[in-house]
Amino acid sequence: MNKRIAWLLLALLPLALVSGVADAAAATTPLAAPGIPAFAVHSGNGGQTYTLTIQLLALMTAITLLPAALLLMTAFTRIIIVLAILRQAIGAGQAPPNQVLVGLALFLTLFVMSPVIDKIHVDAVTPYMAGTIDTTTALERGAAPLKTFMLEQTRESDIAAFVRIAGGKGYDSPQDVPLTVLVPAFMTSELKTAFQIGFLLFIPFVIIDLVVASVLMSMGMMMLSPVLISLPFKIMLFVLVDGWTLVMGSLAASFYH
């Protein structure tokens, strides 16, 4: 599992770290590219100034965007929103807690993204480590499976909306859509799909609340909270139908029709 997590990180920021380390090593040689002075070391016989290359500085900045890439370019957003809506529909407060929901969403995301990760590993990481392709080619090959995954989950209307906002005239094929347009369109589609699934999950629990409230009013027990009485019934119903397995399985299946 740790190996798959490592490949997921490589899928989102493929091979850039290797390139940045190489540039950092080159900065210590006389042929190094100009860099930004970072710090100086002084001794009795003189001193030496260490510099930070522009590429390494850009890499360090890009690493800070890795969590955003995990959220915005994978299945994580849909999964965590559906789980959060499900918890609210049950009405069990903070059960399960946020840490459990995030953990479930992360590992289910890893499960859903496994075919993409494996393809990136075969097409980009392995050839690059073997030295048969350069960094640019590896980046292009690594981004292609991730782009294909996002295109399969994105509605054409959402892509068209962002193309229109950007002032573009359209593209010849879906693969020609740049990430600057595809990522926001993908997120819009994911949010829409997540709320549609959440709506369907909410309906059975709302029906239980309505039935319990009607029974309490007919018995004249209007001072008793319907939510307090309906909560055990909702939990019992959810457990009897094996709700967690159904929800997790349906979420995973929703990405691959």
Side-chain angles (χ1 to χ4, degrees):
M1 188 62 68
N2 291 333
K3 181 179 179 181
R4 288 186 175 276
I5 294 176
W7 290 133
L8 178 59
L9 297 180
L10 286 173
L12 301 178
L13 193 62
L15 311 172
L17 184 57
V18 177
S19 175
V21 172
D23 291 334
T28 61
T29 65
L31 299 178
I36 302 174
F39 61 91
V41 177
H42 299 279
S43 61
N45 299 326
Q48 184 175 4
T49 301
Y50 293 87
T51 62
L52 185 66
T53 64
I54 301 299
Q55 281 187 316
L56 186 58
L57 181 62
L59 169 66
M60 295 171 62
T61 304
I63 289 177
T64 63
L65 302 177
L66 191 60
L70 175 63
L71 293 176
L72 303 182
M73 301 175 68
T74 65
F76 182 82
T77 300
R78 183 191 304 186
I79 295 171
I80 192 63
I81 290 177
V82 170
L83 293 179
I85 292 177
L86 174 63
R87 182 178 64 179
Q88 185 176 358
I90 296 175
Q94 292 298 315
N98 292 330
Q99 293 86 343
V100 174
L101 289 185
V102 172
L104 283 173
L106 281 174
F107 279 93
L108 188 57
T109 299
L110 185 61
F111 174 79
V112 171
M113 301 297 295
S114 292
V116 179
I117 298 170
D118 293 339
K119 188 170 181 58
I120 292 174
H121 179 211
V122 173
D123 295 345
V125 178
T126 300
Y128 180 81
M129 293 300 181
T132 57
I133 59 175
D134 57 11
T135 304
T136 303
T137 304
L139 289 173
E140 292 176 355
R141 291 187 181 182
L146 193 61
K147 190 174 182 179
T148 301
F149 170 81
M150 289 191 291
L151 284 170
E152 291 176 350
Q153 314 303 324
T154 307
R155 296 175 175 84
E156 294 183 3
S157 59
D158 293 326
I159 296 178
F162 282 95
V163 170
R164 184 174 63 255
I165 293 172
K169 297 181 180 180
Y171 303 94
D172 295 334
S173 67
Q175 292 296 334
D176 294 334
V177 179
L179 288 176
T180 53
V181 174
L182 180 58
V183 172
F186 171 73
M187 281 306 303
T188 303
S189 292
E190 287 294 283
L191 290 172
K192 187 183 301 183
T193 303
F195 277 94
Q196 288 175 346
I197 298 174
F199 169 76
L200 296 176
L201 288 174
F202 227 108
I203 292 177
F205 299 106
V206 171
I207 293 175
I208 294 176
D209 287 333
L210 291 175
V211 171
V212 171
S214 300
V215 171
L216 290 177
M217 290 186 64
S218 64
M219 297 175 62
M221 304 174 65
M222 291 178 292
M223 300 300 295
L224 190 60
S225 174
V227 177
L228 182 63
I229 303 301
S230 64
L231 178 58
F233 292 99
K234 290 190 288 188
I235 294 177
M236 180 183 66
L237 174 65
F238 193 68
V239 172
L240 288 177
V241 300
D242 200 8
W244 286 112
T245 302
L246 290 175
V247 171
M248 302 291 278
S250 300
L251 273 175
S254 67
F255 291 95
Y256 296 100
H257 304 288

